[in-house]
Amino acid sequence: MLPITLQKEGYDPFIDYLKGVCIFLVVLAHCLPHTEYILFPLWGDQAVPLFLLIQVFHAYKHGVDEAVKMPNLVKLFNRIFKPFLLLLLFEVFLLVVVLQRDPLQVMKTVIIGGGIGPGSYYVWIYIQFALLLPIIALIIKLLNKVVGGGKICLLMIALSCLWELVCIYIHIPEMLYRLLFFRYFFLIYLGYMWVEKGILLDNIRLLLSVVSIAFILMFAYTSINFEPLFFQTDWKIYHWICYFYVASLFLFFLKFCYNRLSTKLKEFIGLMGKYSFEIFLLQMFVFAFFPHGMLLDFVGNKYICATLTIILTVSLSILPVIVWKRWRGLRLSLIHISEPTRPEPIS
């Protein structure tokens, strides 16, 4: 099967499509009930690993020589952390001042959760990856000169196993483990391979994908304790051995869907991908403050309430961002058109 090659220069609509699918799955993960009955670990729970693979691809797509440079911290702050911090401050204000919640309890929630609202950990993981990727790029660059690329995979697996053992040995608190990069570390190697080889589905990767699927199902649907091989937490399926599937077979499934979607649907999913971080922040707010109890009291039927909750939370998380961005883009275009043309200077 021909590899999927992501564009390293210019705009790639398929990347925005992938990000759009990911953010839609993130929203669904926070509102769908009983996801274990629809094999959600095999598709819905792959959103964050796929987001991180895309982050690695963007960091490494111009080569490891370029990737060893540390990220622009000001840009990282303004693009990622500043909007997150502003949202967090607004949420704290609503909880403490408007809703009269206990300030100490609110601050405890912020510290333990890394924010307010589902998925708040992702911002911290993203920042850690941004700082870690240049270091790994330097290691890869040195190893390519000394031992060749084949040994890099073994090293990354060894380091991933080491993180598992360290977490088991020190009994790292789950609230801290949730905010750290350990469980996603192996994705760096797989994202690097996207750059070097493209996204492949040969016999070896197909076999590794099947192994990943088997472990995902065992982690998610059995009570087997895999320690000391894999750290036992509520983050059951996020181990290095599970990521061959999302980096290969799952991508080919998404590509298959992409090739068969209508142009309009592709464009809409692409818009979600383009504004995925804004949607991510909004969904944190929506799920933190959505009045579940009031809606149930108003409707009276738990099944109708669950359906309405899904429709409303998905819509409130996505549509306001799309509408605002499109309106803002149209407004800026109109302003640009209406600006008077300056006369050419007389030479």
Side-chain angles (χ1 to χ4, degrees):
M1 188 173 291
L2 293 175
I4 300 172
T5 304
L6 303 179
Q7 294 183 28
K8 300 177 183 178
E9 301 288 346
Y11 174 67
D12 189 342
F14 184 62
I15 291 179
D16 271 350
Y17 162 78
L18 292 178
K19 292 163 62 180
V21 170
C22 286
I23 195 60
F24 183 69
L25 293 178
V26 166
V27 175
L28 285 184
H30 298 148
C31 67
L32 285 182
H34 306 299
T35 54
E36 66 274 14
Y37 297 120
I38 53 175
L39 293 178
F40 201 74
L42 288 178
W43 52 282
D45 287 335
Q46 302 304 319
V48 170
L50 187 49
F51 261 136
L52 293 172
L53 281 166
I54 294 170
Q55 181 185 358
V56 176
F57 172 81
H58 281 308
Y60 287 176
K61 65 183 180 180
H62 297 303
V64 290
D65 290 337
E66 189 70 20
V68 297
K69 299 176 182 177
M70 290 301 293
N72 186 324
L73 296 181
V74 174
K75 183 178 179 181
L76 183 64
F77 174 82
N78 288 331
R79 174 70 182 93
I80 301 297
F81 194 70
K82 182 180 176 180
F84 171 72
L85 182 60
L86 290 174
L87 173 66
L88 180 58
L89 292 174
F90 179 63
E91 290 176 319
V92 170
F93 172 81
L94 287 180
L95 289 172
V96 175
V97 178
V98 179
L99 300 177
Q100 298 292 306
R101 301 286 176 81
D102 180 8
L104 292 179
Q105 187 61 41
V106 171
M107 293 312 298
K108 181 179 178 182
T109 300
V110 171
I111 293 171
I112 292 175
I116 297 173
S120 55
Y121 70 92
Y122 174 72
V123 171
W124 303 101
I125 301 292
Y126 184 96
I127 293 172
Q128 290 170 69
F129 259 52
L131 299 175
L132 185 62
L133 288 174
I135 299 172
I136 301 301
L138 179 60
I139 294 173
I140 290 173
K141 181 180 178 181
L142 295 174
L143 286 176
N144 278 331
K145 293 180 180 179
V146 177
V147 297
K151 301 295 192 301
I152 297 174
C153 180
L154 296 178
L155 173 65
M156 297 297 280
I157 290 175
L159 287 174
S160 299
C161 293
L162 177 63
W163 301 140
E164 301 272 2
L165 291 172
V166 167
C167 291
I168 293 169
Y169 180 75
I170 67 175
H171 301 289
I172 186 170
E174 192 155 315
M175 56 161 283
L176 181 59
Y177 178 77
R178 172 178 174 270
L179 299 175
L180 296 177
F181 70 89
F182 297 137
R183 64 187 180 276
Y184 297 120
F185 179 77
F186 190 62
L187 291 168
I188 297 176
Y189 170 74
L190 296 174
Y192 166 71
M193 293 308 295
W194 276 14
V195 175
E196 292 295 300
K197 305 289 186 181
I199 302 167
L200 302 174
L201 189 60
D202 52 20
N203 291 335
I204 293 176
R205 285 166 181 81
L206 181 59
L207 176 60
L208 289 172
S209 295
V210 172
V211 171
S212 291
I213 291 171
F215 272 93
I216 289 171
L217 295 176
M218 284 191 291
F219 287 136
Y221 293 99
T222 74
S223 56
I224 300 172
N225 188 336
F226 287 91
E227 292 186 1
L229 295 177
F230 302 103
F231 186 40
Q232 193 85 351
T233 71
D234 284 342
W235 299 86
K236 293 181 179 181
I237 68 167
Y238 300 103
H239 302 281
W240 66 268
I241 201 166
C242 300
Y243 296 139
F244 296 105
Y245 159 69
V246 67
S248 185
L249 180 60
F250 188 59
L251 257 294
F252 276 85
F253 169 73
L254 293 180
K255 182 68 172 180
F256 175 84
C257 295
Y258 177 78
N259 290 337
R260 284 154 182 79
L261 291 178
S262 66
T263 302
K264 291 292 184 182
L265 188 53
K266 284 182 186 178
E267 289 177 355
F268 184 76
I269 297 174
L271 278 177
M272 287 197 297
K274 186 176 181 180
Y275 306 127
S276 57
F277 187 63
E278 290 83 353
I279 294 172
F280 167 76
L281 293 178
L282 181 58
Q283 66 86 35
M284 283 176 53
F285 177 81
V286 168
F287 286 106
F289 290 91
F290 188 81
H292 297 277
M294 290 176 59
L295 183 63
L296 181 58
D297 292 340
F298 177 76
V299 174
N301 183 294
K302 65 179 182 179
Y303 299 106
I304 297 176
C305 180
T307 303
L308 287 176
T309 297
I310 295 170
I311 295 171
L312 289 173
T313 51
V314 170
S315 300
L316 290 172
S317 296
I318 296 172
L319 294 182
V321 172
I322 300 296
V323 172
W324 165 253
K325 289 289 187 178
R326 294 302 295 267
W327 177 84
R328 188 167 178 266
L330 179 61
R331 180 172 172 270
L332 291 174
S333 298
L334 292 174
I335 291 173
H336 178 72
I337 293 172
S338 64
E339 287 179 348
T341 305
R342 294 182 179 181
E344 292 292 330
I346 301 173
S347 56

